[in-house]
């Protein structure tokens, strides 16, 4: 089971869960993913211990996709 999780200042929220063989759940996850990107979140996927990469399309084979807002400072 894969999960799409949004992290914000209040904690984390699971937005979607899907399995590769469940097209309806994948469609719902893709919709949630795109909505969060449109709201300014970016998505990260682990590429190995201590490494992650930003993705612009939902990788349906990933175990976990984390959405978070960019860190700003100045």
């Amino acid at each position: 089971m894969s999960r799409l999780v949004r992290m914000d200042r209040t904690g984390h929220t699971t937005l979607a869960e899907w399995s590769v063989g469940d097209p309806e759940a994948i469609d719902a996850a893709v919709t949630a993913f795109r909505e969060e990107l449109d709201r300014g979140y970016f998505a990260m996927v682990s590429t190995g211990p201590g490494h992650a990469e930003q993705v612009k399309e939902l990788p349906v084979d990933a175990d976990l996709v984390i959405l978070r807002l960019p860190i700003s400072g100045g």
Side-chain angles (χ1 to χ4, degrees):
M1 179 75 54
S2 300
R3 291 186 308 142
L4 177 64
V5 175
R6 181 183 61 221
M7 307 228 15
D8 58 28
R9 64 178 181 261
T10 63
H12 69 278
T13 304
T14 298
L15 301 175
E17 294 182 327
W18 69 93
S19 297
V20 174
D22 185 349
E24 289 179 9
I26 291 172
D27 288 344
V30 168
T31 298
F33 179 85
R34 289 181 181 155
E35 287 173 356
E36 296 302 313
L37 291 185
D38 289 346
R39 292 180 57 212
Y41 282 80
F42 65 93
M44 302 298 292
V45 176
S46 175
T47 58
H51 298 279
E53 72 177 21
Q54 185 174 352
V55 293
K56 304 234 184 239
E57 298 291 329
L58 182 69
V60 295
D61 60 340
D63 291 331
L64 177 65
V65 180
I66 298 175
L67 295 158
R68 52 180 285 155
L69 289 171
I71 298 172
S72 62

